Amino acid sequence: MHGTKHHLQKDFFLYNASKARSKTYINMREISERFRLPPSEYVIIPSTYDPHQEGEFILRVFSEKRSLSEEVENMIEAERPLVSTKKGKPIIFVSDRANSNKELTADENAGKDGEKTQADKKKHSSTKAHEESEEQKQFRNIFRQIAGDDMEINAEELRNVLNNVVKKHKDLRSEGFELESCRSMIALMDTDGSGKINFDEFRHLWDKIKSWQKIFKRYDTDHSGTINSYEMRNAVNDAGFRLNNQLYDIITMRYADKNMNIDFDSFICCFVRLDAMFRAFHAFDKDGDGIIKLNVLEWLQLTLYA
């Protein structure tokens, strides 16, 4: 287990008994214990009497020989889709977000290079029409009714589209999306700085929401429309985001209610924000060293529209 820096899942504790623990587990101001254990590898897990509480602890280890210890943490990273190796311009102005949305359609890179023939386009359109599902046809009709002639929608119109679709999912208990969540979605997908998205951008956004929805339903086993903070940690990991304990605590403070539960709207809003911030970071991190440098204008433009 040494060197494996990842969060231990619930199954680990179901199949591995504790080697030492405090004799009494009561709500006291301070508990001190002394243990003598044979040489081995151990996971030390401090806890509070009530969940979601903060506490401090001190650990002193006496050993005859040199021993190693480390905090179990994840590296902060996100699984990224395969894109062209050509680096885009960093997202400094809103209109530059197009550089970080390369996976929106398969036609973008090919169109820029001039490699796609007219015959290929016709074949692609034919395949696309053939593969369009009933759900996609429903979206297109709803989208057209709300968007109008320009076939673009703003945050309020996006909320109407999404809430109409969510209502049709009887197995998902949700009161719908808040306007602020939809503004974050627009910011994520808006490639031209217009404050609106077209149908292709909306369809790409919906594909993301559907994948995140499946993760939410996987952990919402009691169909309450909420998941707890521990399940949120696993859900974030399933979505391809690797975060550390400090960031998981921030997510809980930002998106959970007073009972430490997270509803569907907050769940999607959190994932939209994570996706957008990782995307922006990768656009700025040209050399891939995990470090970026922003001036105050870039920082404000990036965070105000995120």
Side-chain angles (χ1 to χ4, degrees), residues 208-220:
K208 286 180 176 290
I209 293 176
K210 278 202 304 183
S211 66
W212 295 335
Q213 176 191 343
K214 290 178 182 177
I215 296 173
F216 184 86
K217 289 167 66 176
R218 187 185 309 154
Y219 290 101
D220 183 22

Side-chain angles (χ1 to χ4, degrees), residues 73-89:
E73 283 280 26
N74 289 328
M75 289 185 62
I76 300 174
E77 59 184 2
E79 294 175 1
R80 305 299 301 166
L82 294 175
V83 296
S84 170
T85 55
K86 184 179 178 181
K87 287 282 186 179
K89 185 180 178 183

Side-chain angles (χ1 to χ4, degrees), residues 60-158:
R60 180 177 291 177
V61 179
F62 298 95
S63 61
E64 294 180 359
K65 296 182 179 180
R66 182 172 177 266
S67 62
L68 299 175
S69 63
E70 56 190 352
E71 185 177 359
V72 177
E73 283 280 26
N74 289 328
M75 289 185 62
I76 300 174
E77 59 184 2
E79 294 175 1
R80 305 299 301 166
L82 294 175
V83 296
S84 170
T85 55
K86 184 179 178 181
K87 287 282 186 179
K89 185 180 178 183
I91 308 172
I92 298 178
F93 298 102
V94 174
S95 57
D96 293 328
R97 289 174 179 269
N99 293 324
S100 66
N101 283 320
K102 294 180 181 179
E103 75 270 25
L104 257 177
T105 64
D107 298 336
E108 283 183 330
N109 290 331
K112 290 174 185 176
D113 297 335
E115 296 174 353
K116 201 172 187 70
T117 63
Q118 191 66 26
D120 291 334
K121 289 181 180 178
K122 289 182 179 179
K123 182 178 179 182
H124 174 76
S125 299
S126 175
T127 305
K128 179 182 174 183
H130 179 71
E131 292 178 350
E132 191 170 57
S133 65
E134 190 64 31
E135 183 184 57
Q136 289 173 327
K137 291 177 182 177
Q138 269 187 357
F139 285 154
R140 190 179 291 275
N141 291 334
I142 295 174
F143 191 92
R144 186 179 290 111
Q145 290 171 12
I146 295 178
D149 295 334
D150 63 351
M151 285 298 286
E152 289 189 333
I153 57 175
N154 58 28
E156 290 186 14
E157 292 168 333
L158 174 62

Side-chain angles (χ1 to χ4, degrees), residues 113-268:
D113 297 335
E115 296 174 353
K116 201 172 187 70
T117 63
Q118 191 66 26
D120 291 334
K121 289 181 180 178
K122 289 182 179 179
K123 182 178 179 182
H124 174 76
S125 299
S126 175
T127 305
K128 179 182 174 183
H130 179 71
E131 292 178 350
E132 191 170 57
S133 65
E134 190 64 31
E135 183 184 57
Q136 289 173 327
K137 291 177 182 177
Q138 269 187 357
F139 285 154
R140 190 179 291 275
N141 291 334
I142 295 174
F143 191 92
R144 186 179 290 111
Q145 290 171 12
I146 295 178
D149 295 334
D150 63 351
M151 285 298 286
E152 289 189 333
I153 57 175
N154 58 28
E156 290 186 14
E157 292 168 333
L158 174 62
R159 181 174 63 170
N160 293 335
V161 174
L162 291 177
N163 287 344
N164 281 333
V165 174
V166 168
K167 287 178 183 176
K168 299 181 185 297
H169 290 260
K170 303 298 182 183
D171 57 338
L172 181 63
R173 186 176 175 182
S174 172
E175 296 181 0
F177 291 96
E178 298 290 338
L179 181 60
E180 189 59 35
S181 302
C182 294
R183 284 173 176 158
S184 295
M185 296 178 198
I186 292 286
L188 171 65
M189 304 308 302
D190 180 15
T191 59
D192 57 6
S194 65
K196 296 182 177 182
I197 58 174
N198 59 33
F199 181 73
D200 286 333
E201 292 168 337
F202 168 75
R203 188 174 58 182
H204 185 70
L205 171 64
W206 179 246
D207 287 340
K208 286 180 176 290
I209 293 176
K210 278 202 304 183
S211 66
W212 295 335
Q213 176 191 343
K214 290 178 182 177
I215 296 173
F216 184 86
K217 289 167 66 176
R218 187 185 309 154
Y219 290 101
D220 183 22
T221 54
D222 58 356
H223 305 290
S224 64
T226 62
I227 62 175
N228 62 41
S229 57
Y230 176 81
E231 293 167 332
M232 184 63 175
R233 178 191 288 264
N234 293 331
V236 168
N237 187 71
D238 288 354
F241 302 109
R242 309 288 179 259
L243 309 179
N244 62 15
N245 291 329
Q246 185 180 1
L247 291 174
Y248 285 123
D249 290 342
I250 290 174
I251 287 176
T252 301
M253 287 189 291
R254 174 65 177 82
Y255 295 101
D257 60 19
K258 62 180 181 180
N259 298 317
M260 298 299 168
N261 292 323
I262 299 170
D263 62 20
F264 182 65
D265 174 59
S266 299
F267 178 86
I268 295 297

